[in-house]
Amino acid sequence: MKQATQSKQYEKINAFLIFFVIVSCQIGVGIHGFQRVIYEEAKQDAWISVVLSFILAHIVVFIMFKTLEKFDGLDIYGIQKEVFGKILGKFLNLLYVIYCTFAFFAVLKNYIEVVNTWVFPYVNARFIAIAILLIVIYAVTGGLRVIVGISFFSFFFLLWIPPVLIFPLYYSNPNFLLPIMEDWAGILRGVYLMSFTIVGFEILNIIYPYIKEKERKNANKYAQIGLLATFFLYITIMLITIMYFSGPQLERVIWATLTIFNIIEFPFVERIEIITICLWLLIVLPNLCLYLWAAYRGVSSIFKIELKKFIWIFASIIFIFTFIIRSRTEINTMNNYFGQISFYVVFVYPFLLYLFASIKKRRRKGTGDSS
Amino acid sequence: MFNKKKKNNKEQITNEQTEMQEPTKHYSKNELKQTLEILSKEEFINLIKEKINSPSDFIIKNVTDEITIVYIDNLIEVKSLTDLTIPTLQNISDPTPQTIKEKLPLAQIDISNKLDILIYELLEGAALIHTKENAEIIIAKISSYQSRGLSAPENESQVIGSQVGFNESLATNISLIRRFVTSPNLCNEKFEVGEDTITSISLIYIKGVASEEQVNTIRQRIESLDVSGLIDSAILAELIDDSSKTVFPQMLLTERPDRFCDGLLSGKIGIMMNGSSMGIVTPVAFIEFFHSKEDQNLRWQIGTMLRLLRLFAMIFSIFLTPIYVAALTYHYEIISQTLIVPLSESRAIVPFPPILEALLLELIIELLREAGSRLPTKVGQTVGIVGGIVIGTAAVEAGITSNILIIFVALSALASFTTPNYVMANIIRFLRFPIIILAGIWGFLGIMLAVCFLLIHLLRLTSLGAPYLAPLYPTRLKDLPNSLIRLPLSIISRQAVNTRKGDEESTKQKDSKKVSE
Amino acid sequence: MIKRQVLLYYLCISLLLFGCADPKILERVSLAILVGYDVEEEDKVTATVALRTVNQELQSVVSIASQTEKTSKGTRIKASLDSTKQIVAGQLRVILLGKKLAESGINEALHTTKMNSEMSSGLYFAIVDGETKPLIEKKYENISDIGQHIFYLLDHNIEEQTILSSTLHETVRDSYSPYIDMALPLLVQDEDDVHISGLAIFNGDKMVGKLVGSDPFYVVLVREKYNAGSIQLSIPGEPFKNLSDEIPDEIAMAIDSIFSKRKIELLNKDTPEFEIDVKVEGRILEIPPSITTEDPEVIKKLETEVEKKFEREISRIIKKTQELNSDVFGFGEVYKAHVGTKNVDKKKWKELYPTIKVNANVTVKLLRNGVFD
């Protein structure tokens, strides 16, 4: 109840905007090079891993909504406090905040690494970090309305990708997709590795109370449609990648999507991957803003802190981290860790939370103390 | 912190403005607030003279022994004074204020013994008639106001549509508006603002169509204005804007009565000010600055095409030169094989890096435009030709710039002039400069940083508490047919962007404003 | 509040001042258009670069720089010492490899090229029958810009499908794939010209032979779909002798507007046996006047003869590649698609390829001739 009053009336968003939030959250830096990691495990069946991981995501989102609907008007921080008690709840909230911070940092660092590799090898990564952080700060201080607005507009900056993907089809070889379903274990490992790429929808846990009350029951529908939209983008890119590269070649390509874009030529413009990378700033921005905002919601559920103050502290911490993790190998290690953590936080934890939440609810009903 | 003028908005709104014959007290200085007693002719004249600092154009006319008229030269209509007032007064046998008021063949006559009212009316152009043995003074309102005739709107000209524009007289303008909108629901609230200028402001809206919330907000903002003088409605608009830190205007200035009335009909609020030929229309969305009244007068297919063309021109105008700078400074890889030879050949002997070259040329174009707009029309044209052709050709031949950049800069300047709104066109040209600098520093990444910043900035802006980027975001499906595009009239909803009356939305947005303060 | 804002502006300005990227202003760099690699003794590689720069007379001029070094990147850095402007590779269009280098293996050259994000995946690879250095350095009478010339030469031939496409991407793709071998365009230097003589075929990363004349046409026919091909061929005149006395023994004819579809099927997994189904549609462009093409019977006969010719040629070329153990047609991909990646690896396929049996099955349909029968 406290949370519901905290999420002010004016900041409430329409349910259909959840679609844009989901799409912009899920499409971030992962899409540049997710193919290689999954291909290494699942080989030419990597696309099956994508399908399976999205089916899993649909189920997870469904469970998330079930949990959230049980405690109408609470976000995950409120639910954790309610289910696990004040102290344990606050501790879990802190962990969730750390997860959001980690996610923020991973997205930022990976994006800067791409920029450094492809576009500006001589620009110091820290300057790019400061510039992006300043933009993020400016956005987040505008409130949720502005953040969702960025997600909304960034979606339209994605729309040019599917038509452009027709070009690489010229170089593709459908034989590379065969034989189908060779190694199930590899496919499942691929599903696990896909988690780093498609996380982002866990933001639903925090944004849910901000959906207009009247439309909340539709939110699940829009979230699922959003997942479907990203699924189509990911599966298209995956299929084209497998057909475009030969296997051992793909295993050595770090950013397969960008390498595909590399070959596309227009009469006036070539090498559109350079433009894509710069344009990607706007695609990455909603990711960063939402994670920062989610972290703020979490911290403010633990102790009182002003938004502006928190953002500056947060940005400084992130900035300090950029000094620690610098080389490609360090980034890869970080990505591996983040992949594992995110799998448990996003794909496993919601089931546990749902379990605990239903136990708690049932017990309450038993004692007649319904909320 | 964002809004200085709202500091004393607790003041209650009363209805007195609507009947408005008497000017309200708070415009006058306290020392003037005195009631006259019975004064002799000399005493009266001296008092008035003293209060208005005995100007040279103060004229005293003794009609009879009992009746004296004082007025300020050039502010009154001499004809009605000499032909109507003086003969009538001479024939009155019993000159009391009441009889004079009855007998005088004038439309507006008042009687008052309040000094502040008398002074105010005198300065507005009334003749004060003093009668012996009476404390009350007759105010004969025979003011003459010199205003230019109605002429075609010059800044917002259009081919199809009405060819009349506002002029500087509030009365004329309101009569124009009333001729477009004859509805009895057309409300016209009068305010007087400015300690020294005492400027009349009319708040015009259609009751039942405009949102009450927004009318109240505007009313409060105008009432809490604390300025010594107001000369133009553009200044008024800046003073009552939501945010004055941004370059983007949140209120639309128009000199077209048809556009003004179109706004009123769709639920917007209009503000007219005496002495200014521009009406303010609010709330407006960003998109509406790229609309022209003509889009609606043409068929929808053509209207849509024109609107899209303008939007394209805006994007083109902002980003063309920065893209040139970014591509030539950092991203030579993206230039295609066929283009790279002419580009590098044209730049071969240019001594500056692309960023300086672009800034220089943009500056020259701005100079030409500014010189052209400050000079009389005929000379302005000459400047354009001299600048455009002579300087351009000479600059290329001297090797200071490349001819391809000249084309780009000229094109983007041309594109910026397609924006129907002068204020917005200026902003578009202004925006180029920071983006060029960013492009010169970080290439396309710099341009993208600028795009992100602009997008966030526009998302944060509000107009009268309503989001600036509506109906795109927050998406209002009902308004979309009349935003980026223009669909047939049967599809377009009458209610305009951002003016949901009685809708919970506007209430919420208002809340948001209050909270953000 | 004001203090914080000042701090923020300060931050922004310092960002602008210190964060400035490293510019590569278009007219102040030398654009490498064409690079040729030749192998020297002791593992050293000579790189010859055709550079395009702009001079003060507003003309772009082409200069040649050459350097011997161990890695290609090193060559580039060394070469820039000799040039007045920084050499950049972002506009590189063609990489030429000398025959000697190709025969000793091109993997290293491919890898270093691919690793550099500056280069486009769309640049072309080609093998020079001989050395690249003389080819690039020679002053040709009719060629002002050797880089552009070779690029357009390859580009338009690839567009018209007279040779296989050899973009960096496709070359790397084939070189990394265990189930297909590369076939790159082969350039030859003439008296005063450069032209394409055929395809250089590889076993692994080593060049083992070449296909010249009209052979590349059949390779493309088996590997790709034709959208607008053309071929000159001669068929035996024997079956047409009854038409007229003037029929020569060899009928030379040309077919263009060729549309083709092909399908490769694996018939037998254990002793690999493939069937190639090729459907060709085309237009007769040239034929001796004595053959009357308005007669449907004659057309039918022509079609049969062309089919036979195609089948013969395809079988002959496959034989040849089997001898060289160079699977340029990609039968391995088809085989892998059927038996799975686990049952066949590079080594096994290399052992299998010389033993496979291929039945070529061509259907030709001659749709029309010109405007005059």
Side-chain angles (χ1 to χ4, degrees):
Chain A
M1 233 36 243
K2 304 138 243 165
Q3 290 281 339
T5 41
Q6 270 173 25
S7 48
K8 301 252 166 35
Q9 191 68 13
Y10 66 89
E11 284 218 314
K12 298 246 156 141
I13 56 171
N14 288 19
F16 78 91
L17 289 172
I18 289 295
F19 169 82
F20 297 100
V21 171
I22 291 287
V23 172
S24 63
C25 269
Q26 283 198 282
I27 298 172
V29 282
I31 203 164
H32 286 156
F34 70 105
Q35 301 98 319
R36 175 196 189 191
V37 190
I38 296 151
Y39 187 88
E40 274 170 2
E41 294 297 340
K43 301 292 171 195
Q44 68 275 19
D45 293 327
W47 62 276
I48 301 178
S49 299
V50 177
V51 175
L52 290 179
S53 67
F54 268 93
I55 291 174
L56 187 60
H58 277 287
I59 297 168
V60 170
V61 167
F62 184 75
I63 290 293
M64 273 182 188
F65 271 101
K66 277 275 161 272
T67 319
L68 289 163
E69 277 159 14
K70 271 186 198 294
F71 301 85
D72 202 27
L74 286 187
D75 59 11
I76 192 168
Y77 301 121
I79 292 174
Q80 282 176 346
K81 272 201 225 166
E82 196 101 326
V83 173
F84 299 109
K86 265 246 161 95
I87 296 162
L88 187 59
K90 277 189 177 180
F91 176 68
L92 287 173
N93 287 0
L94 185 68
L95 289 184
Y96 214 86
V97 169
I98 292 172
Y99 166 75
C100 289
T101 315
F102 196 2
F104 183 100
F105 183 71
V107 172
L108 182 72
K109 195 67 212 176
N110 275 296
Y111 179 68
I112 293 174
E113 180 65 17
V114 173
V115 171
N116 263 165
T117 314
W118 286 82
V119 190
F120 294 121
Y122 299 103
V123 174
N124 194 325
R126 265 158 261 154
F127 288 113
I128 304 176
I130 294 177
I132 297 174
L133 282 173
L134 283 177
I135 290 278
V136 171
I137 289 167
Y138 186 54
V140 176
T141 45
L144 183 65
R145 200 174 63 85
V146 173
I147 299 173
V148 176
I150 301 164
S151 320
F152 177 80
F153 283 106
S154 80
F155 173 78
F156 294 97
F157 277 76
L158 280 173
L159 286 182
W160 59 272
I161 293 177
V164 157
L165 285 175
I166 293 169
F167 288 85
L169 276 181
Y170 178 77
Y171 297 98
S172 64
N173 181 354
N175 263 340
F176 289 149
L177 284 173
L178 299 171
I180 295 173
M181 289 190 237
E182 236 192 345
D183 176 14
W184 276 105
I187 292 173
L188 290 179
R189 280 197 300 277
V191 174
Y192 170 70
L193 288 171
M194 191 68 193
S195 55
F196 170 59
T197 311
I198 63 167
V199 293
F201 55 84
E202 69 272 17
I203 217 80
L204 283 172
N205 275 330
I206 295 111
I207 216 168
Y208 182 74
Y210 290 85
I211 304 166
K212 282 181 184 162
E213 273 115 19
K214 273 185 267 168
E215 302 180 11
R216 261 184 210 157
K217 56 181 185 300
N218 290 334
N220 192 351
K221 184 177 79 192
Y222 287 114
Q224 304 283 4
I225 297 174
L227 277 178
L228 219 60
T230 39
F231 165 68
F232 277 116
L233 188 63
Y234 274 109
I235 195 77
T236 329
I237 289 181
M238 189 45 129
L239 282 172
I240 286 174
T241 309
I242 299 172
M243 291 193 287
Y244 181 83
F245 295 103
S246 66
Q249 181 191 12
L250 181 52
E251 279 169 23
R252 308 189 71 154
V253 174
I254 301 166
W255 292 287
T257 310
L258 295 175
T259 309
I260 292 177
F261 282 164
N262 188 308
I263 208 161
I264 298 167
E265 284 179 13
F266 294 111
F268 288 100
V269 183
E270 294 177 355
R271 306 290 300 278
I272 63 163
E273 90 273 12
I274 288 174
I275 301 168
T276 313
I277 289 165
C278 297
L279 200 71
W280 222 254
L281 179 61
L282 192 57
I283 315 289
V284 165
L285 200 57
N287 277 281
L288 297 175
C289 292
L290 281 163
Y291 276 125
L292 172 49
W293 179 78
Y296 170 68
R297 297 293 318 150
V299 168
S300 69
S301 79
I302 301 168
F303 54 86
K304 267 212 148 136
I305 184 163
E306 215 181 299
L307 176 65
K308 263 193 183 159
K309 213 181 195 177
F310 171 75
I311 288 175
W312 283 101
I313 295 168
F314 185 91
S316 330
I317 292 170
I318 294 289
F319 184 61
I320 291 164
F321 271 132
T322 56
F323 283 89
I324 299 167
I325 294 178
R326 291 173 61 194
S327 73
R328 177 74 60 78
T329 42
E330 283 161 354
I331 292 170
N332 285 342
T333 324
M334 177 190 77
N335 285 349
N336 283 340
Y337 280 122
F338 179 70
Q340 285 165 22
I341 293 169
S342 66
F343 181 77
Y344 292 110
V345 172
V346 179
F347 287 90
V348 179
Y349 180 60
F351 292 99
L352 292 175
L353 188 64
Y354 179 71
L355 201 71
F356 282 112
S358 14
I359 292 169
K360 181 92 182 173
K361 277 266 152 169
R362 195 165 298 160
R363 201 182 291 161
R364 261 205 194 165
K365 253 185 202 159
T367 56
D369 176 32
S370 66
S371 59
Chain B
M1 153 199 154
F2 292 110
N3 243 317
K4 54 184 184 295
K5 46 257 131 127
K6 293 198 75 187
K7 59 195 169 213
N8 52 353
N9 54 12
K10 273 166 214 125
E11 205 176 317
Q12 273 299 315
I13 314 113
T14 53
N15 296 341
E16 64 193 313
Q17 290 91 350
T18 38
E19 299 119 47
M20 188 75 219
Q21 253 355 291
E22 283 179 290
T24 37
K25 312 101 242 158
H26 53 272
Y27 307 124
S28 337
K29 284 169 188 159
N30 279 333
E31 77 224 52
L32 284 175
K33 281 190 180 176
Q34 48 172 292
T35 313
L36 295 186
E37 287 150 26
I38 299 173
L39 296 169
S40 73
K41 186 173 112 186
E42 284 72 29
E43 278 172 331
F44 172 70
I45 290 168
N46 285 337
L47 179 67
I48 298 282
K49 257 191 172 176
E50 183 203 322
K51 288 300 175 199
I52 63 171
N53 300 316
S54 25
S56 57
D57 51 0
F58 183 67
I59 291 173
I60 307 148
K61 259 206 166 86
N62 291 319
V63 182
T64 59
D65 289 346
E66 290 170 347
I67 303 171
T68 314
I69 301 181
V70 295
Y71 61 90
I72 294 177
D73 201 11
N74 299 328
L75 279 186
I76 62 156
E77 215 177 315
V78 184
K79 211 179 164 204
S80 56
L81 183 74
T82 51
D83 293 5
L84 296 170
T85 319
I86 294 176
T88 322
L89 288 176
Q90 278 168 342
N91 293 336
I92 287 173
S93 49
D94 174 28
T96 61
Q98 276 67 35
T99 48
I100 291 175
K101 192 185 174 187
E102 279 164 28
K103 295 248 169 94
L104 267 183
L106 295 171
Q108 284 183 306
I109 299 173
D110 262 327
I111 297 174
S112 173
N113 59 354
K114 300 259 191 325
L115 185 59
D116 55 341
I117 295 172
L118 293 176
I119 299 281
Y120 171 75
E121 292 291 351
L122 180 70
L123 292 174
E124 282 274 286
L128 302 182
I129 303 168
H130 173 259
T131 46
K132 216 174 188 177
E133 323 259 289
N134 281 309
E136 284 164 333
I137 307 292
I138 300 140
I139 307 166
K141 293 180 179 173
I142 47 173
S143 74
S144 82
Y145 185 77
Q146 295 301 319
S147 79
R148 69 186 165 98
L150 292 173
S151 59
E154 266 185 28
N155 301 329
E156 293 174 72
S157 65
Q158 63 186 40
V159 182
I160 297 171
S162 88
Q163 299 293 348
V164 68
F166 287 133
N167 70 8
E168 283 76 13
S169 154
L170 181 61
T172 320
N173 292 344
I174 287 176
S175 75
L176 268 175
I177 293 163
R178 282 217 182 266
R179 242 166 255 164
F180 272 103
V181 185
T182 324
S183 157
N185 287 330
L186 185 80
C187 295
N188 175 12
E189 296 180 11
K190 219 166 202 179
F191 299 86
E192 311 225 324
V193 175
E195 234 166 277
D196 295 334
T197 54
I198 316 184
T199 316
S200 317
I201 291 172
S202 274
L203 178 63
I204 303 162
Y205 59 92
I206 299 178
K207 211 174 195 155
V209 180
S211 142
E212 270 308 311
E213 288 288 340
Q214 289 174 338
V215 174
N216 282 339
T217 315
I218 278 287
R219 209 182 271 143
Q220 280 171 7
R221 286 192 192 167
I222 293 177
E223 275 173 356
S224 53
L225 275 181
D226 184 21
V227 286
S228 64
L230 261 184
I231 297 297
D232 199 86
S233 49
I235 296 167
L236 177 67
E238 192 181 326
L239 286 172
I240 59 177
D241 254 355
D242 287 33
S243 160
S244 52
K245 278 184 182 170
T246 165
V247 290
F248 292 97
Q250 296 124 55
M251 296 188 175
L252 182 78
L253 288 169
T254 181
E255 51 170 358
R256 297 191 64 87
D258 54 347
R259 187 156 194 196
F260 191 89
C261 294
D262 197 55
L264 294 183
L265 286 173
S266 57
K268 293 180 195 297
I269 302 160
I271 302 167
M272 292 296 315
M273 194 180 111
N274 200 13
S276 167
S277 63
M278 294 287 227
I280 300 173
V281 180
T282 185
V284 285
F286 179 65
I287 292 289
E288 287 175 87
F289 286 94
F290 298 93
H291 288 182
S292 155
K293 190 73 194 49
E294 193 159 317
D295 305 341
Q296 304 222 321
N297 297 348
L298 296 167
R299 290 286 160 166
W300 67 271
Q301 297 92 337
I302 311 292
T304 300
M305 190 192 82
L306 289 178
R307 281 188 183 175
L308 291 178
L309 182 76
R310 274 187 223 122
L311 278 176
F312 172 74
M314 170 189 70
I315 294 164
F316 189 80
S317 174
I318 295 178
F319 294 110
L320 191 61
T321 335
I323 286 173
Y324 171 89
V325 171
L328 262 69
T329 316
Y330 298 106
H331 310 295
Y332 70 93
E333 299 104 321
I334 70 148
I335 305 166
S336 76
Q337 167 99 354
T338 43
L339 219 62
I340 199 155
V341 175
L343 264 180
S344 53
E345 280 180 1
S346 80
R347 283 255 326 145
I349 53 168
V350 178
F352 315 114
I355 173 174
L356 285 184
E357 184 197 8
L359 284 177
L360 188 77
L361 264 194
E362 290 285 359
L363 203 69
I364 290 174
I365 284 266
E366 284 306 296
L367 280 178
L368 283 174
R369 189 197 53 76
E370 187 63 18
S373 66
R374 295 285 154 257
L375 285 169
T377 328
K378 281 169 192 159
V379 191
Q381 281 173 357
T382 326
V383 168
I385 293 165
V386 170
I389 297 173
V390 179
I391 298 183
T393 325
V396 172
E397 272 172 16
I400 291 174
T401 65
S402 72
N403 39 21
I404 290 179
L405 182 64
I406 290 244
I407 298 171
F408 281 5
V409 169
L411 270 182
S412 53
L414 190 68
S416 77
F417 292 123
T418 59
T419 308
N421 188 290
Y422 180 73
V423 183
M424 196 49 96
N426 281 341
I427 291 167
I428 285 171
R429 279 197 300 279
F430 163 78
L431 280 180
R432 275 209 293 268
F433 288 93
I435 300 182
I436 289 174
I437 292 171
L438 273 172
I441 289 168
W442 276 1
F444 284 138
L445 193 67
I447 296 178
M448 253 348 261
L449 281 171
V451 169
C452 290
F453 178 81
L454 264 182
L455 185 66
I456 297 168
H457 185 71
L458 288 173
L459 278 168
R460 288 176 69 131
L461 282 182
T462 54
S463 169
L464 260 189
Y468 199 46
L469 280 182
L472 301 177
Y473 176 82
T475 318
R476 309 253 163 85
L477 283 180
K478 257 193 193 163
D479 295 328
L480 276 179
N482 189 15
S483 53
L484 293 173
I485 50 173
R486 170 212 183 285
L487 291 185
L489 287 175
S490 54
I491 299 174
I492 294 177
S493 80
R494 191 61 263 185
Q495 196 79 19
V497 179
N498 280 345
T499 59
R500 292 266 167 279
K501 48 129 190 177
D503 185 300
E504 43 172 2
E505 206 116 324
S506 56
T507 331
K508 274 175 214 163
Q509 254 105 42
K510 261 227 64 193
D511 282 353
S512 90
K513 253 214 78 51
K514 273 185 189 158
V515 172
S516 74
E517 275 162 33
Chain C
M1 204 63 232
I2 290 170
K3 223 190 241 169
R4 199 185 290 169
Q5 268 181 3
V6 169
L7 196 74
L8 206 67
Y9 290 133
Y10 180 74
L11 201 64
C12 291
I13 290 167
S14 59
L15 203 71
L16 296 182
L17 289 180
F18 299 115
C20 190
D22 170 54
K24 289 174 185 154
I25 300 173
L26 181 58
E27 77 281 0
R28 300 185 189 178
V29 290
S30 289
L31 305 173
I33 304 294
L34 168 77
V35 180
Y37 292 119
D38 287 312
V39 71
E40 301 281 313
E41 314 89 272
E42 300 163 36
D43 286 353
K44 284 201 170 170
V45 175
T46 302
T48 317
V49 195
L51 296 165
R52 188 191 289 138
T53 43
V54 194
N55 68 5
Q56 295 291 307
E57 278 78 50
L58 304 178
Q59 287 160 336
S60 50
V61 285
V62 176
S63 56
I64 310 289
S66 173
Q67 201 73 42
T68 310
E69 191 57 49
K70 267 203 167 152
T71 65
S72 56
K73 182 100 176 176
T75 330
R76 202 178 99 205
I77 293 161
K78 265 275 188 93
S80 100
L81 294 176
D82 297 345
S83 166
T84 48
K85 293 170 176 176
Q86 184 194 0
I87 295 177
V88 290
Q91 286 278 350
L92 195 65
R93 301 287 159 176
V94 183
I95 294 179
L96 296 180
L97 302 169
K99 194 180 170 193
K100 247 167 100 185
L101 178 71
E103 280 168 350
S104 65
I106 64 168
N107 258 356
E108 199 176 326
L110 282 180
H111 187 248
T112 44
T113 320
K114 197 60 207 170
M115 212 163 80
N116 190 350
S117 70
E118 211 182 336
M119 291 187 202
S120 160
S121 300
L123 61 85
Y124 292 126
F125 265 93
I127 306 294
V128 173
D129 206 355
E131 292 238 307
T132 62
K133 196 173 172 187
L135 185 143
I136 298 169
E137 279 182 337
K138 183 168 179 183
K139 294 253 180 294
Y140 299 92
E141 227 170 79
N142 303 321
I143 305 168
S144 60
D145 183 343
I146 180 75
Q148 190 139 349
H149 179 82
I150 293 181
F151 169 70
Y152 282 130
L153 180 73
L154 289 168
D155 195 50
H156 111 101
N157 275 297
I158 286 166
E159 200 113 295
E160 295 184 359
Q161 292 182 295
T162 54
I163 46 166
L164 285 172
S165 176
S166 65
T167 57
L168 172 61
H169 163 68
E170 285 159 300
T171 313
V172 174
R173 183 186 72 192
D174 293 351
S175 84
Y176 276 87
S177 168
Y179 311 115
I180 193 166
D181 283 308
M182 284 180 285
L184 298 178
L186 189 66
L187 294 180
V188 177
Q189 184 182 12
D190 263 4
E191 277 291 289
D192 203 49
D193 197 9
V194 178
H195 69 87
I196 295 174
S197 74
L199 288 172
I201 57 173
F202 286 74
N203 178 1
D205 74 326
K206 293 182 177 64
M207 178 177 160
V208 288
K210 51 190 176 183
L211 297 172
V212 290
S214 58
D215 289 1
F217 171 82
Y218 300 102
V219 177
V220 178
L221 194 66
V222 176
R223 256 179 81 145
E224 293 173 6
K225 264 196 250 178
Y226 262 113
N227 289 320
S230 61
I231 176 79
Q232 292 176 25
L233 72 168
S234 57
I235 52 173
E238 197 54 46
F240 305 96
K241 287 283 184 197
N242 57 344
L243 284 176
S244 126
D245 302 335
E246 293 160 31
I247 301 283
D249 290 341
E250 287 274 294
I251 301 174
M253 63 182 291
I255 304 173
D256 80 339
S257 312
I258 294 178
F259 285 84
S260 79
K261 281 182 193 159
R262 98 268 184 265
K263 210 162 86 186
I264 302 177
E265 266 182 83
L266 179 64
L267 297 178
N268 187 343
K269 278 186 194 175
D270 304 324
T271 54
E273 192 180 344
F274 295 88
E275 190 179 65
I276 312 171
D277 260 316
V278 187
K279 286 201 174 67
V280 182
E281 285 178 1
R283 181 182 75 161
I284 304 169
L285 192 68
E286 233 181 84
I287 198 151
S290 45
I291 291 177
T292 45
T293 47
E294 74 257 46
D295 184 358
E297 282 297 310
V298 175
I299 294 282
K300 195 129 235 169
K301 260 187 194 160
L302 273 175
E303 282 173 354
T304 342
E305 286 308 313
V306 174
E307 277 166 13
K308 275 186 197 154
K309 167 84 178 173
F310 277 15
E311 281 163 11
R312 269 201 312 276
E313 291 290 312
I314 289 172
S315 306
R316 179 180 64 79
I317 294 166
I318 291 173
K319 262 279 140 51
K320 187 174 177 186
T321 60
Q322 278 180 316
E323 279 161 22
L324 297 168
N325 201 356
S326 167
D327 178 16
V328 292
F329 302 98
F331 289 113
E333 292 289 351
V334 183
Y335 189 67
K336 179 217 80 177
H338 282 87
V339 301
T341 36
K342 287 192 187 117
N343 300 323
V344 56
D345 59 3
K346 191 174 178 117
K347 209 174 137 222
K348 190 177 173 203
W349 180 242
K350 281 286 162 215
E351 283 165 14
L352 274 177
Y353 184 65
T355 68
I356 64 166
K357 268 167 88 183
V358 181
N359 313 321
N361 205 345
V362 184
T363 336
V364 174
K365 187 143 184 63
L366 297 171
L367 290 174
R368 55 186 77 87
N369 47 18
V371 290
F372 190 80
D373 263 330

